Structures are given as structure tokens and as C-alpha cells.
Amino acid sequence: MTVSIGSDHAGFEYKTALIALLKELHHTVIDVGTNSTDRADYPDYGVAAAKLVSNKTADYGVIICGTGIGISIAANKVNGIRAANCVTVKMAQLARQHNNANMVAIGQRLVNIELAKKIVSEFLSTQFEGGRHTARVEKIHKLGDIG
Ligand code: RB5
């Protein structure tokens, strides 16, 4: 599969490690940056990775910041994106099975690298269950802007 990946400075170290993992798993990787630990703004990289998923250049996306929170909030502003910030393997599994999440967010300051690798592996190898979950996911995208 093709996987987009992006991080801010606080996720740069894990981005490098997760790119290596993705290549080991024989995925094609599109790295949107950032490319160093120099300060960078997470919305820029979350949205860049998300746009590649939204326009189907990538099948899935992996995004990393300090907590995974800011970068997932930003990615979720892009059409068609369901980015899940996961801190356990179970969350990654359920994000795919129930939410059909197409991006996984990782917090470099919150999970150790071995767990981060397990989360990403689980996310990419788990299928959406469909069924009763399909209409719920569709409802999310029919919402548009509220308020
Ligand atoms: C950067 O210091 C940090 O705020 C950012 O990586 C992220 O954790 C925001 O949600």
C-alpha cells in the first residue's frame, strides 16, 4: 500500500523510525516532512499528509506530533479524513474495525517507539468491519460544518 507520513519537530524522531518500519512492511512511503527537529507547525504536515489520503494518492496516513492531538485535529479538517489518535494497539484495531479510520496519529511524547510501531502495524493490517458501522461513518461525513 501507499502510506503518507508527516510530523512536526516533536514527532520527527518517530517519523524516521516509522518510515523504516513501513518500508520493512513493503509499503510505499510518501514523506511530507518535516525534515529536522527545527521547530515546525503540526497543521502544515498533518494537512499535507491528509491531502494525499483525501485525493487517493495514498491509501493511509501516519502523522506524529508531541501528543498526536494537534496533528490529528488538523488532519480531520481535510475532506474524507478520519484520523484517529491512538495510544494503545486496541485503539488502532478499533479505529479501523469500527471507524474505518484512514489516518493514525501518534504522540511521540506519550508512547514509546516499540508501542508506536505496534500501533501502526495493527492499524495497517486491520480491516473495516462494515455492517452497522458503515452508516455511522457516513453520517460523520454528511455533517459538514456545524454551528
Ligand atoms: C509542539 O511543542 C507540540 O505542541 C505539538 O507537537 C503537539 O503535541 C500538539 O498537539
Side-chain angles (χ1 to χ4, degrees):
M1 293 189 293
T2 298
V3 181
S4 65
I5 188 164
S7 76
D8 69 357
H9 58 290
F12 175 71
E13 187 189 321
Y14 277 23
K15 179 165 71 66
T16 305
L18 292 171
I19 287 171
L21 172 74
L22 292 168
K23 288 182 176 169
E24 275 170 33
L25 296 173
H26 305 292
H27 296 301
T28 300
V29 180
I30 306 176
D31 178 6
V32 301
T34 189
N35 298 314
S36 76
T37 54
D38 292 348
R39 201 174 294 174
D41 295 335
Y42 56 80
D44 298 338
Y45 302 96
V47 167
K51 281 183 176 173
L52 293 175
V53 177
S54 178
N55 70 22
K56 301 193 188 318
T57 302
D59 300 292
Y60 294 100
V62 177
I63 44 180
I64 313 108
C65 68
T67 58
I69 296 171
I71 205 161
S72 58
I73 291 172
N76 277 315
K77 300 292 284 184
V78 177
N79 277 341
I81 294 304
R82 295 175 299 281
N85 187 20
C86 297
V87 296
T88 68
V89 172
K90 190 71 181 173
M91 287 176 77
Q93 183 189 74
L94 288 168
R96 289 288 309 124
Q97 289 177 336
H98 288 196
N99 310 111
N100 201 13
N102 48 18
M103 300 189 77
V104 60
I106 299 285
Q108 181 174 307
R109 294 173 179 160
L110 300 182
V111 298
N112 69 49
I113 186 58
E114 290 313 316
L115 177 55
K117 287 178 182 175
K118 284 181 189 154
I119 288 169
V120 170
S121 298
E122 183 73 15
F123 186 86
L124 294 176
S125 62
T126 304
Q127 298 304 309
F128 180 46
E129 283 181 358
R132 70 187 189 281
H133 302 294
T134 301
R136 295 167 183 167
V137 171
E138 283 172 359
K139 270 192 180 183
I140 295 171
H141 293 290
K142 282 184 189 147
L143 289 173
D145 292 325
I146 300 173

